[in-house]
Amino acid sequence: MPHRVAVLALDGVMPMDLGIPARVLNEALDPAGARLYSVTTCSLGGRPVRTNEGFRIVVDEDESLLDDADTVVIATQEPGEHLLATGELPTPLAAAFDRIGPGTRIVSLCTSSFLLAAAGLLDGLRATTHWALCERFTRLFPDVEVDPDVLFVDNGRILTAAGGAAGLDLFVHLVRSDHGTAVATSAARRCVVAPWREGGQAQFIEHPVPEEAGRSTSATRQWALTRLAEPLTLRDLARHAHMSERTFTRRFRAEVGTSPLQWLLQSRLTQARTMLESSDLTVARIATLCGFGDPVALRKHFHNHLGLSPQTYRRTHRGPEGAGVDAAAAGTR
């Protein structure tokens, strides 16, 4: 049975963002070509929804759709004056949120994170929203840890995206989390979007152009990706970029939104996940090829970042194309 996704459209909704969930999730297919998700849009009372582009959208469902949804998406909308002034949800919307089950996954796009925060769903959690409103968000909701520099934040049950194209990244990420890299990459290819942009990548925030802006860390990142099995250090990366460690770290964080060593860890985890999904290599061999050194370290990082062991991840996300891959041949890569 397809995973049921209910997209809630509210007045002031941004049409492009409203279409993102269905655009990505409808391209996630099982080996027989059947859709893995069923995406339906609803509104309060099933009424037409006023967009921020000067036209209205007619939907077929009302908020009762939220009752049985596996995932609820709050599409990007312009926060109302009442919400921005008080940090409180309008009564009809609060009643709609009450219909969402305790185990239902909830996703907010861009400024809709204000709604989740007003409902108390983000208290004590890390979240993001559009960078231009992060300071206002922090003043309204001091119990939420706001990160203005990331594309999206995944807290497990609740996810928040920074807005615009970050919504595409978040839904590709969801497909990858639910069904593995192969399904996500195929869906991304059909949507003609990047198959992987880590959530920690920086938003495109207006900052002064740094000195010597032409000296990018991109070449060093590409170099490192071909050497993940090696014990790379910050010194190694900075030396390849012909920079001091301090300068390299500053420029790397400005371009990528995270530290060089954290990016290196995420890259190794990504390669390990791909190998678990698509090869018969042992966990020990994968740990070596991805630069973790031993399977204990790999298991530790999998538990810390994904909440499960490598073997459990393999059983959950193994694609049919992974069966029968020759381990010896894969180990020569």
Side-chain angles (χ1 to χ4, degrees):
M1 182 177 181
H3 183 100
R4 296 163 297 185
V5 179
V7 182
L8 179 60
L10 302 168
D11 280 338
V13 69
M14 297 184 181
M16 187 189 87
D17 293 18
L18 178 61
I20 285 175
R23 182 67 187 92
V24 176
L25 298 180
N26 283 344
E27 297 296 346
L29 309 177
D30 68 13
R35 288 179 174 176
L36 293 166
Y37 300 87
S38 171
V39 185
T40 308
T41 302
C42 65
S43 68
L44 298 182
R47 293 185 293 273
V49 178
R50 174 182 54 81
T51 74
N52 73 332
E53 299 291 347
F55 59 88
R56 293 178 181 270
I57 294 174
V58 177
V59 301
D60 296 328
E61 302 289 342
D62 62 17
E63 63 269 34
S64 64
L65 189 71
L66 307 179
D67 296 352
D68 300 316
D70 300 307
T71 294
V72 169
V73 180
I74 316 299
T76 306
Q77 45 74 53
E78 297 177 332
E81 293 182 5
H82 173 77
L83 174 63
L84 292 176
T86 66
E88 298 177 355
L89 285 179
T91 300
L93 185 54
F97 274 30
D98 286 341
R99 306 182 76 120
I100 301 174
T104 302
R105 183 166 57 189
I106 304 174
V107 177
S108 74
L109 298 180
C110 197
T111 50
S112 290
S113 56
F114 278 77
L115 302 178
L116 299 192
L121 293 169
L122 295 178
D123 288 353
L125 298 179
R126 179 167 160 264
T128 193
T129 190
H130 194 283
W131 63 267
L133 290 176
C134 280
E135 289 187 10
R136 193 161 190 177
F137 188 104
T138 300
R139 290 196 299 271
L140 273 176
F141 308 110
D143 292 333
V144 183
E145 180 189 349
V146 182
D147 191 337
D149 297 325
V150 297
L151 298 176
F152 60 84
V153 174
D154 183 349
N155 286 300
R157 180 192 172 217
I158 298 179
L159 301 92
T160 54
L168 293 167
D169 297 303
L170 185 148
F171 283 104
V172 172
H173 165 76
L174 277 185
V175 175
R176 180 180 296 105
S177 299
D178 291 346
H179 300 287
T181 299
V183 175
T185 299
S186 295
R189 185 180 300 117
R190 284 188 285 270
C191 293
V192 198
V193 299
W196 179 261
R197 285 205 303 167
E198 179 60 48
Q201 180 170 329
Q203 294 186 40
F204 297 106
I205 303 173
E206 293 180 354
H207 289 309
V209 178
E211 296 179 6
E212 300 180 88
R215 294 187 63 188
S216 169
T217 64
S218 175
T220 296
R221 277 180 270 139
Q222 295 301 316
W223 173 81
L225 288 174
T226 65
R227 293 167 173 78
L228 292 179
E230 301 175 15
L232 297 175
T233 65
L234 177 59
R235 183 180 182 182
D236 295 330
L237 299 173
R239 181 181 296 169
H240 180 271
H242 304 291
M243 301 179 194
S244 69
E245 292 180 24
R246 182 177 180 181
T247 298
F248 178 79
T249 299
R250 186 182 73 249
R251 290 186 178 158
F252 194 101
R253 187 177 290 277
E255 293 175 19
V256 182
T258 190
S259 71
L261 295 183
Q262 184 61 33
W263 172 86
L264 194 60
L265 172 60
Q266 290 294 341
S267 298
R268 285 173 167 149
L269 283 171
T270 299
Q271 178 168 292
R273 290 164 68 173
T274 300
M275 287 183 173
L276 287 167
E277 294 172 22
S278 60
S279 79
D280 293 321
L281 293 170
T282 65
V283 171
R285 180 60 175 156
I286 290 174
T288 299
L289 291 174
C290 296
F292 290 101
D294 62 71
V296 175
L298 177 60
R299 292 189 189 100
K300 175 183 175 181
H301 287 298
F302 257 68
H303 276 292
N304 290 343
H305 291 266
L306 301 174
L308 70 171
S309 69
Q311 290 288 20
T312 301
Y313 181 89
R314 169 173 267 168
R315 288 194 299 268
T316 304
H317 294 88
R318 185 66 175 265
E321 71 282 355
V325 173
D326 183 75
T332 63
R333 285 183 284 179

